[in-house]
């Protein structure tokens, strides 16, 4: 008997077992990438609206850290500061 079956029999009344669906994860990753790109473009539009034409210092918290990392991939920055951030390449 497989490990999963044993676990299900032992813990079935208290737990529900979920299976990771790779196709779903790829779709979610594409959505996250698109969202981070949008956030990075918002940072750039804000910089342009403020008339700042030199590299900026950026601070990102949580997913904001991933957004500023995406921003820095294609644009010059003076510095990046990450506070409890996630990776722009996945959670």
């Amino acid at each position: 008997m497989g490990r999963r079956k044993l676990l299900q029999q032992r813990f079935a009344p208290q737990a529900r077992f979920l299976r990771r669906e790779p196709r779903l994860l790829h779709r979610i990753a594409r959505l996250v990438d698109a969202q981070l790109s949008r956030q990075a473009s918002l940072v750039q539009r804000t910089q342009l609206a403020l008339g700042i034409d030199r590299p900026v210092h950026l601070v990102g918290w949580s997913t904001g850290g991933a957004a500023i990392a995406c921003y820095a991939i294609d644009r010059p920055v003076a510095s990046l500061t990450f506070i409890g951030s996630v990776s722009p390449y996945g959670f």
Side-chain angles (χ1 to χ4, degrees), residues 28 32 36 54 62 69 81-82:
I28 290 170
V32 168
L36 292 175
R54 64 185 187 281
S62 190
T81 301
F82 300 95

Side-chain angles (χ1 to χ4, degrees), residues 49-76:
L50 293 172
I52 301 169
D53 60 351
R54 64 185 187 281
V56 293
H57 300 273
L58 296 171
V59 177
W61 173 63
S62 190
T63 52
I68 65 170
C70 286
Y71 176 92
I73 289 171
D74 298 321
R75 301 161 190 94

Side-chain angles (χ1 to χ4, degrees), residues 3-79:
R3 175 189 243 168
R4 182 182 167 109
K5 274 282 197 218
L6 287 171
L7 290 171
Q8 284 176 327
Q9 287 177 353
R10 169 69 175 90
F11 296 104
Q14 301 117 355
R16 186 171 71 156
F17 290 83
L18 302 175
R19 183 174 158 262
R20 182 176 69 108
E21 180 55 57
R23 287 173 296 192
L24 178 61
L25 291 177
H26 289 295
R27 277 186 253 150
I28 290 170
R30 282 195 302 269
L31 290 172
V32 168
D33 287 346
Q35 182 64 27
L36 292 175
S37 294
R38 279 195 295 272
Q39 290 177 9
S41 69
L42 285 173
V43 171
Q44 183 178 27
R45 285 191 282 173
T46 302
Q47 179 183 355
L48 294 173
L50 293 172
I52 301 169
D53 60 351
R54 64 185 187 281
V56 293
H57 300 273
L58 296 171
V59 177
W61 173 63
S62 190
T63 52
I68 65 170
C70 286
Y71 176 92
I73 289 171
D74 298 321
R75 301 161 190 94
V77 295
S79 69

